[in-house]
Amino acid sequence: MNKLKKLHILNTLHIYKSLGLKYIDDIQDIDQNNNSIKSLPNNLNDLENIVQSCYLCQLSKTRKNVVFGEGDTNADIMFIGEGPGANEDMTGKPFVGRAGELLTKIIENVLSIKREQVYIANIVKCRPPNNRVPTSQEVESCIPYLLKQINLIKPKIIITLGATAYNNLTNDKTPISKIRGEVLPFGDAKLIPTFHPSFLLRNPSAKKYVFADMKKVKKINDESLRA
Ligand code: URA
């Protein structure tokens, strides 16, 4: 889509907004009826095309690239982060900066699998300016895409990285320090919250907790492969 067309769409959306239409509330309402996910395409390529031209929230104005997610689309394990940072915004790929290097090490050294064998996505697909936490409005407009990704990939294990990913995916506001390492039901999958790699970069002494959580993940994954 060219810039002129984008501007035209944004302008139209602003006019609708000034007329009183509430896009986000509508999405939330539809979501509660479990329809917005149903109305999204049933394959990842078509879903990605829709996300690539999404202008539902203000992050679309400042992003360089949409970061849809990447990895094995049949993965048993899916990691979910908060949202793209500067490196991810530049490349269009999730977790490629320092936090991403650490995540890759965790996957390879603790889970003993290749990064390409898991799927990695985020709560929001566009970078929040200055890496701020995404607003609830931004999360509400973006999360149907993530739910559809989960629905199509059907991972057996979902690992949420950090508070934003856990709190927004589950709607449970329990602090991450209390809930990390628990094995929780999430649809047909098991959800295991753990600390975000960026937190580990700032607090290396917390690596032992993530190590313990990933050992748990490995055990569950190995058992399910044997079953
Ligand atoms: N932090 C995130 O939460 N996601 C990324 O993709 C990169 C950094």
Side-chain angles (χ1 to χ4, degrees):
M1 189 187 296
N2 65 33
K3 210 169 176 181
L4 203 66
K5 205 164 177 191
K6 278 186 195 172
L7 281 172
H8 178 72
I9 291 172
L10 271 176
N11 199 24
T12 311
L13 288 172
H14 281 123
I15 293 168
Y16 286 162
K17 204 171 179 183
S18 69
L19 292 173
L21 274 169
K22 290 181 185 162
Y23 306 102
I24 305 306
D25 288 349
D26 288 349
I27 281 176
Q28 199 183 18
D29 288 348
I30 298 167
D31 200 9
Q32 275 158 9
N33 296 328
N34 203 16
N35 273 338
S36 81
I37 302 160
K38 274 193 200 146
S39 65
L40 288 169
N42 277 323
N43 73 76
L44 283 166
N45 286 340
D46 290 351
L47 180 66
E48 175 159 10
N49 286 338
I50 286 182
V51 180
Q52 289 291 349
S53 48
C54 176
Y55 300 95
L56 283 177
C57 83
Q58 58 193 347
L59 298 183
S60 61
K61 293 184 201 163
T62 48
R63 73 178 176 224
K64 289 193 177 69
N65 282 293
V66 169
V67 181
F68 180 69
E70 69 171 9
D72 182 351
T73 53
N74 290 309
D76 286 335
I77 301 178
M78 182 162 174
F79 283 87
I80 298 173
E82 176 173 312
N87 293 298
E88 292 76 20
D89 186 42
M90 295 255 274
T91 58
K93 292 179 184 304
F95 281 98
V96 289
R98 279 182 70 221
E101 280 170 23
L102 181 55
L103 179 62
T104 306
K105 276 190 193 154
I106 293 169
I107 295 168
E108 292 180 352
N109 299 343
V110 191
L111 297 183
S112 310
I113 52 177
K114 294 201 176 90
R115 177 178 156 126
E116 297 74 46
Q117 288 176 267
V118 305
Y119 195 89
I120 306 176
N122 282 303
I123 293 287
V124 292
K125 312 292 189 211
C126 300
R127 182 189 183 200
N130 303 317
N131 300 340
R132 63 161 171 74
V133 174
T135 65
S136 53
Q137 199 199 44
E138 289 156 2
V139 171
E140 277 164 22
S141 51
C142 208
I143 208 151
Y145 300 138
L146 176 64
L147 295 176
K148 191 71 196 189
Q149 282 173 302
I150 295 172
N151 189 260
L152 292 171
I153 294 164
K154 298 187 180 28
K156 293 194 177 113
I157 302 171
I158 295 171
I159 300 153
T160 52
L161 301 166
T164 303
Y166 174 72
N167 297 150
N168 287 298
L169 190 61
T170 61
N171 279 324
D172 172 23
K173 301 298 168 218
T174 308
I176 188 68
S177 53
K178 289 225 160 62
I179 198 80
R180 59 139 280 275
E182 299 284 329
V183 181
L184 309 159
F186 188 87
D188 293 334
K190 291 190 164 94
L191 187 150
I192 298 152
T194 196
F195 290 134
H196 194 287
S198 300
F199 174 76
L200 299 184
L201 291 172
R202 296 190 304 271
N203 302 277
S205 65
K207 282 184 185 173
K208 57 181 175 292
Y209 300 114
V210 174
F211 183 79
D213 299 345
M214 292 306 107
K215 281 281 176 204
K216 205 178 264 185
V217 168
K218 183 167 168 31
K219 188 162 177 270
I220 297 169
N221 193 40
D222 289 349
E223 279 167 8
S224 93
L225 290 177
R226 262 184 257 121

